[in-house]
């Protein structure tokens, strides 16, 4: 297997009986699924805005641009979707309340999750504080305090 990097996204658990976090790791790589399936891939990953925009772009290319260069534009959009699809997934997670917490590596998603929890237990990664909007700041980033309405020291 090859070593990959993953971006870890966390948010507080939405289950009222659980006092934990939801954790998602997103690989930083080219996505062949996003390139080939485009809007269907985005729908599968619950990226509604991205799926809608990609669907509109593909419909425009198929029905509006009926000239010889439309095939190249279609290929260009497919390549753009393949290169940026997983970045759009991270953006969609952030719109759902997830916070990008750190970058971890591993051979696959499970190895990256294990490594994330190992780094968390060792104190090398800090979780963001969840609570009222005026106190949201990451524990390890003093620059974030200025954004939380507190004066810089």
């Amino acid at each position: 297997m090859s070593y990959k990097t993953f971006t870890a996204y966390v948010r507080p658990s939405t289950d009222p009986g659980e006092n934990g976090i939801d954790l998602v790791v997103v690989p930083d790589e080219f996505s062949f699924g996003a390139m080939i399936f485009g809007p269907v891939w985005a729908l599968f990953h619950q990226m509604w805005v991205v799926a809608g925009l990609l669907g509109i772009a593909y419909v425009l290319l198929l029905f509006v641009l009926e000239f010889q260069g439309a095939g190249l534009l279609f290929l260009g959009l497919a390549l753009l979707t393949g290169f940026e699809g997983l970045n759009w997934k991270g953006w969609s997670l952030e719109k759902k309340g997830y916070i990008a917490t750190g970058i971890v590596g591993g051979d696959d998603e499970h190895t990256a999750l294990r490594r994330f929890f190992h780094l968390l237990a060792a104190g090398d990664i800090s979780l963001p504080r969840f609570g009222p909007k005026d106190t949201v700041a990451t524990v390890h980033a003093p620059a974030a305090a200025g954004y939380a309405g507190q004066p810089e020291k």
Side-chain angles (χ1 to χ4, degrees):
M1 295 203 140
S2 63
Y3 190 82
K4 302 175 191 174
T5 59
F6 295 82
T7 304
Y9 293 89
V10 296
R11 76 171 176 176
S13 178
T14 56
D15 186 9
E18 190 175 317
N19 189 17
I21 60 169
D22 288 335
L23 174 65
V24 178
V25 290
V26 179
D28 297 328
E29 63 184 2
F30 184 84
S31 174
F32 286 101
M35 182 184 86
I36 295 170
F37 299 110
V40 176
W41 176 85
L43 286 173
F44 179 77
H45 289 280
Q46 300 178 358
M47 301 177 349
W48 315 119
V49 174
V50 173
L53 292 174
L54 283 174
I56 290 170
Y58 280 113
V59 167
L60 285 174
L61 285 176
L62 289 175
F63 295 112
V64 176
L65 300 174
E66 295 181 357
F67 65 93
Q68 194 170 5
L72 288 175
L73 290 176
F74 186 81
L75 177 63
L77 181 59
L79 286 172
L80 176 70
T81 304
F83 280 111
E84 294 296 323
L86 293 170
N87 290 333
W88 296 336
K89 184 176 180 180
W91 175 80
S92 295
L93 287 171
E94 288 176 354
K95 292 298 177 190
K96 293 177 184 176
Y98 286 82
I99 298 173
T101 303
I103 297 176
V104 293
D107 292 332
D108 57 10
E109 182 178 338
H110 298 291
T111 307
L113 285 170
R114 247 188 353 257
R115 186 159 293 155
F116 178 84
F117 285 118
H118 176 72
L119 290 171
L120 185 63
D124 293 335
I125 292 180
S126 299
L127 290 178
R129 284 187 243 149
F130 298 106
K133 291 288 183 191
D134 60 339
T135 61
V136 174
T138 50
V139 176
H140 64 282
Y147 295 112
Q150 301 169 355
E152 292 185 28
K153 296 180 182 176

